[in-house]
Amino acid sequence: MSGLLGNSLPVFLGVTVVLHGGAALATGRALAAGWRPWWQAVGYSVLLGASARFLSFALFEGALLSLSGFLISSLVLIGFALLAYRATWTANLVRQYPWVYERRGPLFVTEKPGSR
């Protein structure tokens, strides 16, 4: 497992999931709150993935140039950021336009009948 992640599983969970995962959630919320496009969350999450690789290397002697570790970290962080983005975007849409949209769960909205 450490060959695939570039370090041990506890280090991956601590650095990538907990530390950088929180940053990815905040990034997704901030982008959605400013009505920015969703694809910007992907770019910022890739940068967070590079940061997670560097911290794993610098603090825990992980492999700095682990391509699989970078890709896995980035994909996990992209998932966090997009989840937070969609949840915040949905909440903002329903809060700002309650006469047009209604919530269908935490991530989806539908148009109200007769709203157009």
Side-chain angles (χ1 to χ4, degrees), residues 6-63:
N7 49 18
S8 66
L9 184 61
V11 170
F12 175 80
L13 292 175
V15 172
T16 300
V17 175
V18 175
L19 183 65
H20 286 82
L25 290 172
T27 299
R29 284 193 300 263
L31 290 172
W35 297 99
R36 308 301 272 162
W38 65 268
W39 54 265
Q40 287 185 356
V42 174
Y44 289 128
S45 297
V46 170
L47 292 174
L48 284 172
S51 171
R53 289 297 333 130
F54 177 74
L55 283 181
S56 296
F57 164 73
L59 298 177
F60 301 103
E61 299 178 359

Side-chain angles (χ1 to χ4, degrees):
M1 181 64 80
S2 65
L4 186 63
L5 296 175
N7 49 18
S8 66
L9 184 61
V11 170
F12 175 80
L13 292 175
V15 172
T16 300
V17 175
V18 175
L19 183 65
H20 286 82
L25 290 172
T27 299
R29 284 193 300 263
L31 290 172
W35 297 99
R36 308 301 272 162
W38 65 268
W39 54 265
Q40 287 185 356
V42 174
Y44 289 128
S45 297
V46 170
L47 292 174
L48 284 172
S51 171
R53 289 297 333 130
F54 177 74
L55 283 181
S56 296
F57 164 73
L59 298 177
F60 301 103
E61 299 178 359
L64 177 62
L65 300 177
S66 171
L67 181 62
S68 62
F70 171 70
L71 291 176
I72 291 170
S73 295
S74 295
L75 288 175
V76 167
L77 295 172
I78 287 169
F80 283 158
L82 290 179
L83 184 68
Y85 179 91
R86 183 64 186 202
T88 305
W89 182 81
T90 300
N92 288 346
L93 200 62
V94 171
R95 185 176 54 248
Q96 265 191 302
Y97 306 106
W99 62 91
V100 179
Y101 298 105
E102 60 187 0
R103 185 183 294 264
R104 292 284 180 219
L107 302 177
F108 301 104
V109 296
T110 58
E111 287 189 19
K112 288 184 176 179
S115 63
R116 286 196 178 224

